[in-house]
Amino acid sequence: MKYAYFPGCSLSSTGIEYEMSTQETAKALGMELWEIPEWNCCGASSAHLTDHLLALALPARNMAIAEEAGLDVVIPCAACYARCKAVELAVTESKEMKASIEEIIERKYEGKSKARALLDILANDIERAAIKEKVSHNLKGLKAACYYGCLLVRPQATGFDDLEDPQSMDRLLHNLGAETVDWAFKTECCGASHPTTKSEVGLKMMDRILAAAKEAGANCIVAACPLCLNNLDMRQGQAEKEYNQKYDLPVFYFTELTGLAFGVDPTKLGLNKHFVDAMGMVNQVLKADSRRGTA
């Protein structure tokens, strides 16, 4: 399996754990990730709030380079995926838009290479048996609230899962031995940049998500977006203080848990880099699995 790989800006900075665990998980599964040479920022929210054509041209350049190589593009970040999917659809639906974009990026782009969410590939393309075959550490004991966020399965154009009750991450975690909870906040917004610019708005949004996960019986949250994880992990303490609550919910990337189940050293996955302690729960799960293995 060979894909063009678009890491996006966050995976080399605030989402470094996502990059580390993506690389380790891909290696374990035999996925070859060809990083798009000299890739540029997809524009995320800044570009499409500024100029619609700019917001399409930025991801188009990356997609066009992958298209020249004849590869679909695997994208871990939900925001990057949404922007790349938007331009893929734009050029296939409008010849005029396609011409405008090609003029800006100064190269051909047909929309033939497909933007693929990494979660979609792990959960839906790879056979369940192939995932389970790689599991050396059963994740029994984890009771996860799978948090998809507002961009990964919306708008409907992304198309790989249900808009309101997606199940891809749930299926993947079940294959790793974890339990998942039913809850109503799978696709709610975490507040994006509001915790920084309007903390009274953003913290309230996070509080609702954290409280709902706790009420559903989860002992952790699993995410697929660097911004979502940063908000729920880094700012969890702020929300606890603001609302006089104690959530104590480690927040994982789905790639971290996949790599962990595959037997990768937790530090190679970045599990020791979280704000809310993740290693305590990781060690509990590994210890319990070890006991089962010697029973």
Side-chain angles (χ1 to χ4, degrees):
M1 296 179 288
K2 183 176 181 178
Y3 296 92
Y5 176 54
F6 180 63
C9 305
S10 295
L11 269 71
S12 62
S13 55
T14 55
I16 187 65
E17 308 98 307
Y18 208 178
E19 168 69 6
M20 295 168 68
S21 55
T22 291
Q23 293 291 345
E24 291 293 337
T25 297
K27 189 191 305 181
L29 288 169
M31 292 173 62
E32 183 180 350
L33 300 182
W34 176 73
E35 187 168 330
I36 296 171
E38 299 184 345
W39 57 264
N40 56 269
C41 177
C42 71
S45 58
S46 302
H48 72 254
L49 289 172
T50 304
D51 182 274
H52 178 63
L53 191 54
L54 173 65
L56 294 174
L58 285 169
R61 179 182 173 277
N62 300 317
M63 294 296 293
I65 295 170
E67 189 171 273
E68 290 163 8
L71 297 170
D72 287 343
V73 185
V74 61
I75 307 167
C77 173
C80 295
Y81 169 63
R83 296 315 309 154
C84 291
K85 199 68 180 177
V87 73
E88 175 195 318
L89 294 170
V91 299
T92 56
E93 292 175 352
S94 170
K95 292 181 179 179
E96 292 77 13
M97 181 59 75
K98 175 179 175 295
S100 296
I101 289 171
E102 288 180 334
E103 182 179 3
I104 293 171
I105 66 174
E106 298 181 338
R107 61 204 320 152
K108 295 289 290 182
Y109 175 46
E110 304 285 344
K112 291 179 181 177
S113 289
K114 303 304 178 187
R116 299 293 311 279
L118 178 60
L119 175 62
D120 184 19
I121 293 170
L122 293 191
N124 300 320
D125 282 15
I126 299 175
E127 296 274 346
R128 178 186 180 192
I131 294 287
K132 297 187 81 169
E133 182 182 278
K134 296 287 183 182
V135 174
S136 59
H137 295 314
N138 188 291
L139 299 187
K140 185 176 181 180
L142 286 186
K143 195 169 183 181
C146 292
Y147 181 62
Y148 297 74
C150 58
L151 288 174
L152 192 60
V153 295
R154 295 198 196 104
Q156 194 165 6
T158 59
F160 75 85
D161 211 328
D162 186 86
L163 300 183
E164 298 298 334
D165 187 22
Q167 295 294 326
S168 296
M169 196 187 301
D170 297 70
R171 284 196 300 274
L172 176 61
L173 290 180
H174 293 162
N175 291 337
L176 304 176
E179 182 182 350
T180 63
V181 301
D182 290 325
W183 67 317
F185 283 74
K186 282 185 171 184
T187 59
E188 292 295 310
C189 180
C190 68
S193 60
H194 278 115
T196 301
T197 58
K198 296 183 178 180
S199 60
E200 71 282 1
V201 175
L203 289 177
K204 182 60 180 175
M205 295 171 79
M206 284 190 293
D207 170 65
R208 294 176 70 235
I209 292 167
L210 293 163
K214 197 79 173 178
E215 186 176 347
N219 60 15
C220 64
I221 295 176
V222 186
C225 171
L227 184 55
C228 293
L229 187 132
N230 279 343
N231 277 341
L232 295 173
D233 178 42
M234 181 174 68
R235 300 186 185 280
Q236 190 173 138
Q238 287 179 260
E240 287 180 335
K241 186 176 180 180
E242 179 71 20
Y243 295 101
N244 194 28
Q245 298 290 333
K246 187 62 178 175
Y247 309 114
D248 195 24
L249 286 170
V251 189
F252 300 101
Y253 288 111
F254 69 92
T255 46
E256 290 179 305
L257 294 182
T258 304
L260 183 69
F262 288 174
V264 180
D265 186 311
T267 60
K268 289 185 177 181
L269 300 167
L271 283 160
N272 58 328
K273 294 181 178 292
H274 293 235
F275 286 84
V276 178
D277 176 54
M279 289 302 298
M281 182 167 291
V282 165
N283 289 331
Q284 286 178 22
V285 169
L286 293 181
K287 188 174 181 180
D289 183 60
S290 176
R291 286 173 176 168
R292 286 193 296 272
T294 57

